[in-house]
Amino acid sequence: MKILVIGDSILKGAVTGTASGHLFDIIEDSSLNLAQKALGFEMDNQSVFGNVISKGQRKLNKMLERGETADFCIVEFCGNDSDYDWALVSENPNEAHQMRTPFEDYLRIYDEMIKTLREHKITPVIMISPALCAERWFNHITNGHNKENILNFLGGDIEKPFKNQKSYDDALAEYAKKNNVQTVNMREPMLATGHFDDLMCQDGIHPNEEGYRFMSEIWIKEIPNLKKEF
C-alpha cells in the first residue's frame, strides 16, 4: 500500500523551541514515520513547513501531471490557513485583516483537491488537525510584536485563534461527512486526553515528541481500516 501525504509542518514532524536554536526542527519520529515503521506501508510525504492549501493544491496537481500514483492520499491543512499575518495585524490592528486562506476558498480548494484525487483513482483521506493551545499561541504570536494591538484586534479574546481554527476544522469534518471522504481526527482525541498541553510545543500549535507518538497510535489504529475507493 502506498500513501501520498500533502500537508504542513504537523505531518512533516516539526517541533519548535528546541535547543538547536533553529526556527524549527524536523524529527525522525514524526507521527507518520512511526506509523510506517509499525505498519510497513510505502509513503511519499510531501508536507512542507508553513504550507497553505493553495500551495498544496499546486504541488499535488504537478505531481499528478507527472504521473504520481498512490492508493491513498492524506490531506492535512488548517493551522496556517486559519491564521493571520500577525506582523501586519500588529502594525495595523484597526484594519480588516483576512485569514491567510479565506474560509470560502479553504473549502473550495479542499473540494477541488478531493475531486482531483478521485479523478486519478486515488482515495482521499482528510486529517482533522490538532487544536492549538490558546494562551501559548497568543504568547508566541505577540513575541516581538505589539501585544496590545494584537489583543485589541482579537477583541480582547486570546481564545479567538482557537475558535477560528475550530470553525475551519468543524466545517471540514462536515464537508467530509457530506462527501463520503474518510477522515482521521486528531483534534478530538488529543483534547480528550485531559492533558492536551503536555502534547504540544511551547508555541502552542505544533505537537511535541510525545504528541507525535500519540498521533502515531491513532494512525496505527486507523490506517488499516481505510477503505480503497478504487
Side-chain angles (χ1 to χ4, degrees), residues 100-195:
R100 295 185 187 274
T101 304
F103 185 77
E104 296 78 9
D105 292 339
Y106 176 75
L107 289 181
R108 173 183 57 79
I109 297 172
Y110 241 116
D111 182 56
E112 291 172 358
M113 292 179 72
I114 297 305
K115 289 176 178 175
T116 297
L117 287 166
R118 285 174 164 165
E119 288 169 1
H120 286 79
K121 309 301 182 186
I122 299 173
T123 301
V125 179
I126 290 174
M127 190 192 100
I128 305 299
S129 302
L132 56 83
C133 302
E135 186 173 359
R136 289 185 187 178
W137 181 238
F138 178 74
N139 290 335
H140 178 74
I141 62 177
T142 56
N143 185 31
H145 297 306
N146 189 311
K147 186 173 184 176
E148 183 178 349
N149 281 356
I150 292 177
L151 186 61
N152 287 338
F153 172 76
L154 295 174
D157 182 10
I158 67 170
E159 295 275 343
K160 188 173 180 180
F162 173 92
K163 296 171 184 175
N164 289 342
Q165 185 203 42
K166 185 178 186 301
S167 70
Y168 276 54
D169 275 340
D170 288 349
L172 184 58
E174 183 64 24
Y175 164 84
K177 183 178 180 180
K178 287 182 178 179
N179 291 276
N180 297 312
V181 183
Q182 297 171 88
T183 62
V184 176
N185 192 324
M186 297 295 176
R187 183 186 186 92
E188 298 307 324
M190 293 177 77
L191 287 173
T193 63
H195 57 89

Side-chain angles (χ1 to χ4, degrees), residues 37-86:
K37 291 175 184 177
L39 299 175
F41 53 84
E42 181 183 354
M43 180 171 63
D44 181 3
N45 192 340
Q46 294 292 323
S47 301
V48 178
F49 188 94
N51 219 4
V52 292
I53 194 168
S54 56
K55 292 182 179 179
Q57 181 185 40
R58 289 194 292 271
K59 172 169 276 194
L60 175 64
N61 289 342
K62 289 179 181 178
M63 293 178 69
L64 295 177
E65 288 169 4
R66 295 196 303 265
E68 179 81 21
T69 187
D71 298 294
F72 297 93
C73 180
I74 297 170
V75 187
E76 174 264 326
F77 292 96
C78 181
N80 297 313
D81 296 274
S82 61
D83 200 22
Y84 294 96
D85 184 329
W86 296 109

